[in-house]
Amino acid sequence: MKILVIHQVPYRKIGYERGIDHDRHQVTYIGHPHRMADLPEALPARRIVLDADEDLVAGIRARTSPADGYEKVLALSEFGIIEACHVREYLGIAGPDLAAVERVRDKVRMKEALAGSDLRHPRFTAGPAPDGTLPWTGRTVLKPRQGASSEDVTIHATAREALDAYEQLPHADEFQLEEHIDGDILHADGLVEGGRLVDLAVSRYVNKPVEYAQGSPLGSHQEPCTPAQRELAERVVAVLGIEEGCVHLEFFETPGGELVFLEVANRVGGAAVVSTHELHTGVHLPSHEIAVRLGLERPEAGPPSGRHHGWIAFPGHHLAADGVRTIDVPEWIRTHPCVDGLHVLAPEQETPRHITYQEWEVPVFIEASHADAGELRRFLQECARAVSVRTAPAVRAAA
């Protein structure tokens, strides 16, 4: 099979070699320089490097042709699935159409598609009514329609305050307004094959993604999946018409126990979702997704660990760029039996200036597990309180 891979996700997160036999298939990777640089040198594949600031679709079209004979286009990044539609159309390759992809990429389109179903979701709108109002008055979320990692998401005390902020946006048509829902946020990660959910694990966040964007730590841990949670995931897949690939579904659990849809992405989750999912279930999500999307047999799953796994990340994007970074991880955390891995940014490594969950980029990243989900949650919450990442003004040498 001749495969074109639009390479956007760090190679170590996907491990393409686990899902594609590069000796059996003709594989070409194409992408921007910073990402292409992380491909293993020994990987037997063709490489096409775009210019650093080149438009992805235009660059691929300029360097490929329908005559090249590609049979599949593989794009596993949330920021490449719409672009892959245009590439497949150009190359004459069958695949999901643009409307299907927008239902899992555009937060307005996905909730519009839920209309008439029994799935509860926050009230939302792509913009105010003609009279300049919203159909609710309380706390309101303003967020990009196609954003990720809660970047540029703001929460406002009233609908009026959110509308005021919306009106100040230079590209307001790229945002949506949504009523705020009180409760915990959970995420469900799994795999869809032939329109059917064939694998699923559920995790509960420690803190909320929007708080991470503002500088607070964020973690999550697996917990037993309830019948109601699985039913929610299955209904989302069915109503949105998701046919194949990984799903990363986020939903609320209100104080009254009601499950409320938040959003879904047709790709693997970030942070340590891939590694913790494999430990817990035996399923390496990226290689299983690759097999499904290429029409190959899924690899055999490994043995589950019998434990619940989780992670917590401490951001650095909010810290002063000209300060001296100080990291404090108490010794009791370093030696705690729950800890499976501890990643601390080396002093010579720069603090990230962008929102990231990658364990090798953030100042502190902890992987942990326990047989009891409640005990694991308590440990991660203690980590959130005890670990410190801060900056202090640099001391100038005396003249």
Side-chain angles (χ1 to χ4, degrees):
M1 187 186 307
K2 195 168 184 180
I3 306 163
L4 181 66
V5 179
I6 302 176
H7 181 42
Q8 294 171 286
V9 184
Y11 193 94
R12 70 179 89 179
K13 279 292 183 183
I14 301 300
Y16 287 96
E17 79 285 351
R18 296 184 61 178
I20 304 174
D21 184 337
H22 287 70
D23 294 318
R24 178 183 176 190
H25 302 286
Q26 298 180 54
V27 186
T28 297
Y29 290 87
I30 190 166
H32 291 107
H34 75 286
R35 186 53 60 218
M36 295 295 288
D38 77 358
L39 291 174
E41 288 186 13
L43 195 68
R46 183 184 177 211
R47 295 157 169 80
I48 301 176
V49 182
L50 305 177
D51 295 336
D53 58 352
E54 190 170 10
D55 177 79
L56 183 65
V57 175
I60 294 174
R61 284 175 170 170
R63 291 164 177 80
T64 62
S65 162
D68 292 334
Y70 289 110
E71 300 166 76
K72 292 285 186 178
V73 172
L74 194 62
L76 301 183
S77 167
E78 184 165 10
F79 299 102
I81 58 175
I82 287 179
E83 290 78 358
C85 282
H86 299 300
V87 172
R88 281 193 296 266
E89 182 181 19
Y90 166 71
L91 294 175
I93 299 171
D97 61 27
L98 189 59
V101 172
E102 285 183 339
R103 288 197 297 271
V104 293
R105 185 74 183 91
D106 186 308
K107 294 173 175 57
V108 170
R109 294 284 176 262
M110 71 175 64
K111 288 193 286 293
E112 286 176 342
L114 299 181
S117 73
D118 56 356
L119 290 167
R120 187 190 162 191
H121 56 78
R123 287 180 290 176
F124 71 99
T125 178
D131 63 358
T133 64
L134 295 177
W136 64 88
T137 59
R139 296 181 74 191
T140 301
V141 182
L142 178 61
K143 65 171 67 170
R145 292 175 59 151
Q146 295 192 22
S149 303
S150 294
E151 192 162 5
D152 296 325
V153 174
T154 53
I155 300 176
H156 304 268
T158 67
R160 182 67 263 165
E161 290 180 18
L163 284 168
D164 290 342
Y166 173 87
E167 291 164 2
Q168 299 300 314
L169 293 170
H171 302 287
D173 60 319
E174 298 176 2
F175 283 72
Q176 68 142 25
L177 295 139
E178 180 179 283
E179 70 171 330
H180 183 272
I181 303 293
D182 290 325
D184 285 353
I185 301 179
L186 294 86
H187 60 90
D189 298 274
L191 182 74
V192 177
E193 183 176 17
R196 186 172 65 90
L197 193 64
V198 295
D199 174 78
L200 188 70
V202 171
S203 300
R204 188 178 299 265
Y205 280 116
V206 175
N207 294 338
K208 296 182 178 180
V210 69
E211 295 170 339
Y212 185 83
Q214 297 165 354
S216 295
L218 177 71
S220 82
H221 62 87
Q222 296 153 346
E223 60 182 36
C225 177
T226 69
Q229 291 167 348
R230 183 171 186 92
E231 182 181 2
L232 172 67
E234 290 174 340
R235 290 287 294 140
V236 168
V237 167
V239 172
L240 294 184
I242 300 173
E243 286 297 317
E244 63 182 22
C246 289
V247 289
H248 177 69
L249 165 67
E250 294 186 332
F251 59 96
F252 296 98
E253 183 181 80
T254 69
E258 184 180 13
L259 304 184
V260 182
F261 172 90
L262 175 57
E263 58 193 53
V264 68
N266 195 183
R267 46 85 176 165
V268 294
V273 166
V274 170
S275 58
T276 56
H277 190 96
E278 183 174 14
L279 288 166
H280 183 63
T281 68
V283 173
H284 180 249
L285 285 171
S287 56
H288 281 245
E289 174 169 24
I290 289 170
V292 168
R293 291 194 180 278
L294 296 183
L296 305 173
E297 185 177 352
R298 289 169 57 198
E300 185 176 347
S305 67
R307 295 169 69 87
H308 296 95
H309 297 262
W311 55 271
I312 187 164
F314 294 78
H317 61 269
H318 62 295
L319 300 175
D322 57 352
V324 177
R325 184 181 68 230
T326 301
I327 295 174
D328 180 24
V329 181
E331 186 62 23
W332 69 265
I333 290 179
R334 295 176 181 271
T335 58
H336 198 281
C338 279
V339 173
D340 296 320
L342 172 63
H343 308 264
V344 178
L345 208 60
E348 67 274 12
Q349 291 179 276
E350 291 187 7
T351 304
R353 305 316 317 162
H354 60 286
I355 296 176
T356 175
Y357 300 117
Q358 310 291 20
E359 63 267 23
W360 63 89
E361 292 183 329
V362 298
V364 179
F365 193 96
I366 299 170
E367 299 169 81
S369 65
H370 197 284
D372 182 86
E375 287 298 322
L376 179 57
R377 181 172 186 79
R378 281 186 283 275
F379 171 70
L380 292 175
Q381 288 173 328
E382 283 296 321
C383 289
R385 288 188 283 266
V387 173
S388 172
V389 179
R390 60 190 185 278
T391 55
V395 177
R396 296 183 181 274

